[in-house]
Amino acid sequence: VWRSDEFTSKNNIYILNGDLKTVGKVEDIAPGERIYSTRFMGDRAYMVTFKKVDPLFVIDLKNPDKPKILGALKIPGYSDYLHPYDENHIMGFGKDTVEISQSWSGSTKETMAFYQGMKIAIFDVTDVEHPVQMYQEIIGDRGTDSQLLRNHKALLFSREKNLLAFPVTVMETNKNSISYNGIPQYGEFSFQGAYVYQIDLVNGFKLRGKISHLNHEDMLKSGSGWYQNKKNIERVLYIDETLYTISPAMIQAHDLASLKEINRLELP
């Protein structure tokens, strides 16, 4: 990926039949970038590659012998995970990025991308040749992370309930943060728990509330960094009108409408 000639890395899609023989392919996609996420929905595939910007490719798989790229959207950041909202809209979960011009040891300046906070987005792919980012939400600053970026089971989504929730560890910079040579600094720990959103195609993302298993004393002891604490929320789910947040240390039950805590069970 560091090369800039014909030998740089490229990305490919291959379609195999029942005998595992290649019947169709699209090769040499996004030279110099690498695949961060894919999603196969019906007759289409969606693929995100990244190096400095995030191209979201829409790929037609209706004819297995002749797959083809229908369109692409290039925006800052990237998506580690793609999840369908409906047949014409898809959600992306990843990181925001910023491009900064750098020179190392007096060498020629080059533009590099540095990741920032967690990014969630809704893409409209109704017009397959011209996909559009409808909404985006940036959570925290550099260092913010979520299990969702590595494990799709960390996502709670219900289109019927307009509900979106996931665990996240939020890092935030302060006004005293000093960047080195223009490189964005990592943030300091500010929150660990679940973010709960209302989501729809009219208003996008609306943060309903945050739920944490950390108490006031835990936060006072936290310092500027954080670690794999037993109180870190890892999963969110609902049963009927009750929302549950789960960490290795406890299970908390919350009213789904108000998010007020109903009860908790501490785990040995």
Side-chain angles (χ1 to χ4, degrees):
V1 295
W2 57 86
R3 302 186 67 137
S4 58
D5 55 19
E6 67 269 25
F7 299 108
T8 191
S9 66
K10 303 177 182 68
N11 303 289
N12 312 311
I13 294 177
Y14 298 100
I15 301 178
L16 311 181
N17 63 15
D19 297 322
L20 298 184
K21 293 182 179 179
T22 302
V23 295
K25 61 185 177 181
V26 182
E27 296 183 314
D28 300 337
I29 305 171
E33 303 179 9
R34 72 176 179 86
I35 297 171
Y36 271 62
S37 56
T38 57
R39 167 63 67 170
F40 296 88
M41 294 168 54
D43 295 330
R44 300 179 195 166
Y46 302 94
M47 183 175 73
V48 169
T49 62
F50 178 75
K51 186 174 183 180
K52 295 179 182 178
V53 295
D54 168 3
L56 170 67
F57 291 96
V58 182
I59 301 160
D60 182 13
L61 303 178
K62 191 171 185 178
N63 183 348
D65 297 329
K66 296 180 179 179
K68 60 182 179 180
I69 295 175
L70 298 175
L73 169 67
K74 293 188 177 183
I75 53 176
Y78 59 85
S79 297
D80 288 292
Y81 177 60
L82 297 171
H83 191 90
Y85 181 91
D86 60 26
E87 63 181 4
N88 288 315
H89 299 85
I90 193 166
M91 300 180 292
F93 302 88
K95 293 288 184 70
D96 186 31
T97 60
V98 59
E99 289 188 52
I100 296 176
S101 179
Q102 291 286 310
S103 60
W104 307 101
S105 302
S107 61
T108 304
K109 282 192 173 184
E110 61 176 298
T111 301
M112 300 184 67
F114 294 88
Y115 68 82
Q116 300 285 64
M118 182 177 176
K119 175 183 176 180
I120 58 178
I122 300 176
F123 302 101
D124 185 346
V125 292
T126 305
D127 182 350
V128 292
E129 294 183 0
H130 303 95
V132 176
Q133 179 178 276
M134 295 179 64
Y135 303 102
Q136 74 167 18
E137 176 94 347
I138 307 299
I139 302 171
D141 296 308
R142 188 166 169 83
T144 298
D145 195 24
S146 171
Q147 281 201 3
L148 172 55
L149 306 184
R150 294 173 294 279
N151 189 335
H152 67 277
K153 293 182 179 180
L155 176 66
L156 171 63
F157 169 63
S158 171
R159 192 175 69 194
E160 293 73 24
K161 291 183 176 291
N162 296 330
L163 174 65
L164 178 74
F166 50 85
V168 62
T169 300
V170 181
M171 312 294 282
E172 295 181 331
T173 58
N174 57 54
K175 61 181 180 181
N176 297 319
S177 297
I178 301 175
S179 62
Y180 173 72
N181 201 24
I183 299 175
Q185 294 299 293
Y186 284 89
E188 297 182 357
F189 174 71
S190 66
F191 176 83
Q192 201 295 320
Y195 270 39
V196 183
Y197 285 91
Q198 176 177 315
I199 179 174
D200 58 60
L201 298 180
V202 176
N203 301 300
F205 304 103
K206 181 179 179 182
L207 183 62
R208 293 183 51 204
K210 307 174 186 179
I211 299 171
S212 180
H213 288 185
L214 304 179
N215 57 34
H216 180 64
E217 183 178 0
D218 295 326
M219 294 301 296
L220 290 176
K221 293 179 179 178
S222 65
S224 61
W226 196 237
Y227 57 100
Q228 188 58 36
N229 190 288
K230 288 185 177 181
K231 292 184 180 180
N232 286 0
I233 292 177
E234 298 180 350
R235 297 290 184 270
V236 191
L237 59 99
Y238 74 87
I239 301 174
D240 297 326
E241 297 305 314
T242 303
L243 184 75
Y244 296 91
T245 54
I246 303 171
S247 69
M250 69 180 70
I251 300 173
Q252 283 187 1
H254 309 262
D255 178 72
L256 187 57
S258 66
L259 299 185
K260 290 182 178 180
E261 183 179 337
I262 300 171
N263 209 339
R264 69 174 61 188
L265 172 67
E266 294 188 4
L267 304 175

